[in-house]
Amino acid sequence: MPARIDKAVVPGVFSLDGQDFDVENNVWLVGDDSEVLVVDAPHDAVPILEAIGGRTVTAIVLTHGHNDHITAAVALREATGADIWFNPQDRMLWDVVHAEDTPDHDLVEGTSFTVAGTTLTALHTPGHSPGSTCLHAAELGTVFTGDTLFCGGPGATGRSFSDHPTIVASIRERLLTLPGDTVVRTGHGDDTTVSAETDNIH
């Protein structure tokens, strides 16, 4: 029985370059009735813990360093005992939010996790931020893309530490090469598929 995927939507504020934006973030939980891996930890740990529902958390994996994806990470670690995995290329963003704390492990290309018998593999996809990383669960036909790829095209690149040609190259080389029916589960908004986004990357 492969792992199942649950989603919690957590509202809050994204802050960067002196501007604030109200956002709703998707938190993805991959696991079964006993254990779960958490993808991203935005805004407030309480609704995430409610979605976890007492299961053992095997890892807290952060797709990138923007505050709306990491603010609750330390509180979630304290509540669950799970380690935080984070790409060190986004450390400058982490330090703005969590100056007194550090992630537990580096999340890099090829890092793999196994939860409920299912493997997730990290794909480094810079562009939205230098350390942006997706998680591919081939057995589930799914990729968790953070803010790298959305329903409608690439993530935003108009702010500090982001670059549009880089994100397009990442999507073309790392995501559009996945099977076309792979479900893209994003950091905000609706799901899509790899094939549906192929014409939106330019």
Side-chain angles (χ1 to χ4, degrees):
M1 191 74 179
R4 72 173 187 268
I5 301 169
D6 300 318
K7 180 173 77 167
V9 179
V10 184
V13 177
F14 166 51
S15 302
L16 187 66
D17 297 339
Q19 292 182 292
D20 294 334
F21 305 88
D22 291 327
V23 291
E24 290 189 337
N25 284 68
N26 297 330
V27 179
W28 299 101
L29 301 98
V30 185
D32 56 17
D33 289 341
S34 61
E35 65 177 19
V36 65
L37 176 147
V38 178
V39 182
D40 284 338
H43 310 307
D44 180 1
V46 172
I48 305 172
L49 289 167
E50 290 173 353
I52 291 165
R55 292 178 282 179
T56 298
V57 179
T58 61
I60 301 162
V61 184
L62 306 177
T63 59
H64 63 290
H66 289 147
N67 75 290
D68 60 322
H69 291 256
I70 70 169
T71 299
V74 171
L76 196 61
R77 176 172 65 186
E78 291 172 353
T80 64
D83 286 353
I84 296 170
W85 295 75
F86 183 78
N87 191 303
Q89 293 188 42
D90 275 5
R91 187 59 189 269
M92 67 289 185
L93 294 165
W94 168 279
D95 288 343
V96 171
V97 180
H98 296 299
E100 304 301 315
D101 292 282
T102 58
D104 299 291
H105 305 284
D106 288 347
L107 178 68
V108 297
E109 174 69 29
T111 300
S112 66
F113 305 89
T114 301
V115 60
T118 297
T119 299
L120 297 91
T121 304
L123 307 175
H124 182 214
T125 52
H128 181 67
S129 68
S132 285
T133 302
C134 300
L135 284 176
H136 180 219
E139 298 155 84
L140 303 180
T142 287
V143 62
F144 301 94
T145 58
D147 288 2
T148 293
L149 180 61
F150 290 114
C151 180
T157 53
R159 303 188 182 281
S160 296
F161 311 114
S162 64
D163 183 72
H164 185 74
T166 301
I167 200 172
V168 169
S170 291
I171 293 168
R172 287 191 185 282
E173 294 166 12
R174 311 313 316 280
L175 301 180
L176 297 188
T177 53
L178 299 175
D181 61 355
T182 301
V183 178
V184 176
R185 300 182 193 267
T186 63
H188 308 269
D190 296 333
D191 298 350
T192 182
T193 63
V194 167
S195 61
E197 298 310 314
T198 300
D199 292 336
N200 294 327
I201 309 307
H202 43 74

